[in-house]
């Protein structure tokens, strides 16, 4: 029983367009949600996070939206660039346990 | 160093062999985590240290897995009598704090373990 799910294994978008990556969760006790980006042969790199008390957080080209009633969050990348091509992981944490629960990842390909 | 360093980068072990994976966290980071990432999956939590104290080891898959951080800095993940299902990338992450406020943890590049 996966508590964090990324149902789209892959996504392909054109350079300059918007990329939308989705994530669903089941545990209503999660209080922080994070997105990580991973290139091959490297560890995940933190991208952006959002507290459960907010519904939007923006950082440059990256915006995360949280819909608590639907237990759904999404990452928007605008405009998408070829360098954004990577695997994106959604993660959630509960309380101050420090433990992150990751989704399976979505591979984003941005075509020039 | 500037980042989290893990060694070796790659390890091939024969089934039944013991292995030790090393993690050098960012200097001064209190929190240290180990994750296991199987092919095509997201990282899965193994264990967590705050300084030298192992506060959570609920993710360790069996008693063949053992982690330590004796002086509150470098950590070692040891796997005894390796099995094929242990083949995965083992990721270490560190943080100056426990909470998620303001950002996530810094991950190392991982150790890819292949058991043959």
């Amino acid at each position: 029983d996966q508590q964090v799910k990324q149902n789209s294994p892959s996504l392909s978008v054109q350079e300059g367009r918007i990329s939308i990556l989705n994530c669903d969760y089941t545990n209503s006790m999660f209080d922080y949600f994070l997105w990580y980006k991973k290139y091959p042969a490297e560890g995940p790199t933190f991208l952006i996070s959002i507290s459960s008390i907010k519904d939007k957080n923006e950082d440059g080209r990256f915006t995360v939206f949280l819909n608590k009633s639907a237990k759904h969050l999404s990452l928007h990348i605008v405009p998408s660039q070829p360098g954004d091509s990577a695997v994106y992981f959604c993660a959630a944490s509960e309380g101050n346990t420090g433990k992150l629960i990751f989704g399976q990842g979505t591979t984003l390909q941005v075509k020039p | 160093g500037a980042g989290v360093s893990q060694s070796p980068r790659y390890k091939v072990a024969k089934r039944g062999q013991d292995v030790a994976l090393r993690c050098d966290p960012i200097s001064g980071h209190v929190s240290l985590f180990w994750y296991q990432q199987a092919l095509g999956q997201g990282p899965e939590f193994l264990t967590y240290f705050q300084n030298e104290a192992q506060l959570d080891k609920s993710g360790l898959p069996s008693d063949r897995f053992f982690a330590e951080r004796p002086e509150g800095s470098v950590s070692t993940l040891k796997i005894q009598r390796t099995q094929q299902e242990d083949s995965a990338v083992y990721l270490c992450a560190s943080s100056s704090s426990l909470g998620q406020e303001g950002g996530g943890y810094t991950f190392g590049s991982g150790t890819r373990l292949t058991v043959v």
Side-chain angles (χ1 to χ4, degrees), chain A:
Chain A
D1 59 336
Q2 272 204 288
Q3 297 187 70
V4 178
K5 293 183 182 179
Q6 293 175 257
N7 292 316
S8 298
S10 62
L11 174 67
S12 181
V13 301
Q14 208 67 33
E15 180 179 7
R17 307 294 290 267
I18 184 171
S19 294
I20 300 176
L21 297 107
N22 294 302
C23 179
D24 296 295
Y25 62 95
T26 57
N27 187 344
S28 58
M29 300 302 292
F30 287 144
D31 60 353
Y32 264 93
F33 301 91
L34 306 91
W35 285 94
Y36 281 83
K37 174 180 177 180
K38 186 181 183 303
Y39 292 118
E42 294 183 13
T45 302
F46 171 74
L47 202 53
I48 191 169
S49 65
I50 187 167
S51 164
S52 61
I53 62 174
K54 297 185 176 180
D55 54 18
K56 178 182 174 181
N57 188 25
E58 190 173 353
D59 183 2
R61 297 185 298 115
F62 303 91
T63 303
V64 56
F65 295 92
L66 175 62
N67 182 335
K68 279 195 298 182
S69 61
K71 293 192 176 70
H72 177 85
L73 66 156
S74 60
L75 174 68
H76 292 211
I77 306 174
V78 184
S80 301
Q81 299 173 353
D84 296 330
S85 298
V87 179
Y88 288 79
F89 291 100
C90 170
S93 71
E94 177 183 344
N96 264 345
T97 66
K99 182 190 305 186
L100 295 181
I101 310 297
F102 283 86
Q104 311 94 306
T106 296
T107 301
L108 173 65
Q109 182 183 25
V110 181
K111 297 180 179 178

Side-chain angles (χ1 to χ4, degrees), chain B residues 18-111:
Chain B
D18 297 349
V19 298
L21 313 180
R22 177 187 169 105
C23 173
D24 276 277
I26 293 174
S27 179
H29 274 193
V30 168
S31 300
L32 186 146
F33 297 81
W34 283 98
Y35 286 82
Q36 179 190 59
Q37 185 177 15
L39 190 64
Q41 300 296 315
E44 290 194 5
F45 171 81
L46 292 177
T47 187
Y48 158 64
F49 290 87
Q50 187 169 355
N51 295 306
E52 69 278 4
Q54 189 174 20
L55 298 187
D56 188 343
K57 54 181 181 179
S58 62
L60 296 177
S62 77
D63 57 8
R64 296 186 295 104
F65 286 71
F66 173 75
E68 60 183 6
R69 194 187 185 197
E71 297 178 0
S73 56
V74 171
S75 177
T76 303
L77 176 67
K78 297 179 179 178
I79 309 173
Q80 297 178 323
R81 304 180 303 280
T82 52
Q83 304 295 315
Q84 280 196 315
E85 61 263 28
D86 300 336
S87 296
V89 175
Y90 290 85
L91 294 164
C92 176
S94 73
S95 172
S96 58
S97 64
L98 173 57
Q100 303 298 336
E101 299 84 356
Y105 304 125
T106 302
F107 279 85
S109 297
T111 294

